[in-house]
Amino acid sequence: TLFHAYDEVLAAVDDPVQRKQLYAVLHSFAVPLALLIHPSSVISPFAQIETGCIVHANTVVEAGEIIREGCILHPAVVLKQNCQLEKGVTVEAGAMLGMSVFAAAGAVIETGCILLDHVRIAAGSVVKAGTLAACDIVSDRGIINSTNL
């Protein structure tokens, strides 16, 4: 089949719902997933990054991180110690996550967001660009910005 013509593949799609669907198809065909980390990124040897993830240029991932399958970290993202990103989380350029931040599956953290220590983000939530969050992000609408925190 087409999938087996390659040793490993990635679903480089920014939409977390579409990415999840593509990974389900890849899993159904037992296709091995790649892990792509740009050489300018700094990754702690004590971080865990699963296959199917993409880490763009100039990203910093500190010790104790757990980054699940299908996450995308765009350029210049900083993850402080002990963050956990569940499957399919997207962190856009220049975002900074403080210590022990938890992002549930499919969450999107847009450009330039700053999430302070211990913030938790609900599954499928979108944290709008430039948001500074000091509290948990739980929303029935799923869209969070600085005006509703």
Side-chain angles (χ1 to χ4, degrees), residues 67-84:
I67 302 172
R68 302 282 184 214
E69 175 185 287
C71 290
I72 297 179
L73 305 179
H74 286 270
V77 166
V78 176
L79 301 181
K80 303 302 270 179
Q81 295 177 358
N82 302 315
C83 291
Q84 183 170 339

Side-chain angles (χ1 to χ4, degrees), residues 39-134:
S40 69
S41 291
V42 178
I43 310 296
S44 167
F46 302 104
Q48 299 174 30
I49 304 176
E50 293 182 358
T51 59
C53 292
I54 301 172
V55 180
H56 287 268
N58 302 313
T59 291
V60 176
V61 177
E62 293 186 358
E65 313 294 11
I66 299 172
I67 302 172
R68 302 282 184 214
E69 175 185 287
C71 290
I72 297 179
L73 305 179
H74 286 270
V77 166
V78 176
L79 301 181
K80 303 302 270 179
Q81 295 177 358
N82 302 315
C83 291
Q84 183 170 339
L85 306 181
E86 290 298 309
K87 288 185 176 185
V89 170
T90 301
V91 183
E92 294 184 357
M96 197 281 289
L97 281 62
M99 290 178 57
S100 301
V101 167
F102 174 84
V108 176
I109 301 161
E110 291 187 347
T111 303
C113 288
I114 298 173
L115 307 180
L116 300 182
D117 295 351
H118 307 287
V119 168
R120 295 177 298 166
I121 304 166
S125 292
V126 177
V127 184
K128 299 304 283 181
T131 297
L132 170 61

